[in-house]
Amino acid sequence: MKRFKALTTGHTVLMGRKTFESLPKGALPNRRNVVLTRSRKKFEGTEVFASMETALKHCEADEEVFVIGGSSVYNEALPLANRLYLTEVDDVPEKADTYFPEYDKKDWHETLRESFPADADNERPYSFVTLERIR
Ligand SMILES: NC(=O)c1ccc[n+]([C@@H]2O[C@H](COP(=O)([O-])OP(=O)(O)OC[C@H]3O[C@@H](n4cnc5c(N)ncnc54)[C@H](OP(=O)(O)O)[C@@H]3O)[C@@H](O)[C@H]2O)c1
């Protein structure tokens, strides 16, 4: 979460309606919050769009747009993405029901990998990984 905050603060975060509703305190502070929904609902502190295409059109001037989930939005945005910021966690949760999409490693070049052991805040080893799309 510290890395997520450091990367996204000052930028645009784009998310699905369910991910927005899972945020404990609503819109993320100090970021432009963009939410996708096909309903006509409004959410405080956000801009709402009914399609990925429209949302991205309104973000064209933004330096970097961070797609922050959930699964359906990751699926739709992956073919458009130039960079992936992943956190790999050495775990196989038994009850997972929402997944990041499969991606083809040969399309991506790893530019960063920082690995950390379990610590007081993280009960399992983890790695920060950045991948750039190979053009
Ligand atoms: N660990 C992580 O990194 C991470 C990150 C993000 C989310 N999550 C978890 O993932 C779960 C949510 O993921 P999810 O896949 O179920 O839902 P989601 O992608 O967050 O939201 C799905 C909803 O977004 C709207 N939507 C999606 N694509 C759209 C499009 N192209 N145009 C317009 N609206 C669109 C629809 O809302 P309407 O139904 O309102 O039309 C759809 O039902 C939550 O449990 C969240 O905590 C985890």
Side-chain angles (χ1 to χ4, degrees):
M1 291 309 291
K2 280 184 199 160
R3 185 185 190 227
F4 174 84
K5 189 175 172 187
L7 283 169
T8 60
T9 295
H11 297 283
T12 299
V13 287
L14 188 159
M15 71 198 97
R17 187 261 307 164
K18 292 180 188 171
T19 295
F20 176 75
E21 288 182 339
S22 78
L23 298 175
K25 295 180 189 167
L28 296 170
N30 307 316
R31 278 150 278 195
R32 182 181 180 193
N33 284 244
V34 176
V35 176
L36 295 180
T37 176
R38 294 181 183 92
S39 76
R40 291 174 168 264
K41 282 188 194 164
K42 299 269 179 254
F43 304 106
E44 198 182 332
T46 77
E47 294 159 63
V48 173
F49 295 100
S51 77
M52 177 78 72
E53 196 187 354
T54 317
L56 291 177
K57 260 192 196 138
H58 282 83
C59 296
E60 269 171 5
D62 299 5
E63 188 196 350
E64 196 168 14
V65 177
F66 288 84
V67 176
I68 64 165
S71 192
S72 63
V73 175
Y74 283 141
N75 269 305
E76 192 174 348
L78 185 63
L80 309 172
N82 298 316
R83 185 178 296 149
L84 303 180
Y85 297 99
L86 305 180
T87 303
E88 295 179 354
V89 182
D90 187 3
D91 193 11
V92 185
E94 282 172 22
K95 291 188 178 168
D97 60 8
T98 308
Y99 295 88
F100 189 77
E102 294 286 335
Y103 58 95
D104 193 337
K105 289 203 170 154
K106 72 172 168 23
D107 294 339
W108 298 89
H109 170 58
E110 192 173 296
T111 56
L112 175 129
R113 176 172 289 271
E114 282 182 284
S115 297
F116 302 90
D119 57 32
D121 293 327
N122 301 285
E123 58 182 61
R124 294 180 184 280
Y126 59 99
S127 302
F128 294 154
V129 182
T130 306
L131 302 167
E132 303 281 341
R133 186 183 287 283
I134 298 168
R135 294 278 167 203

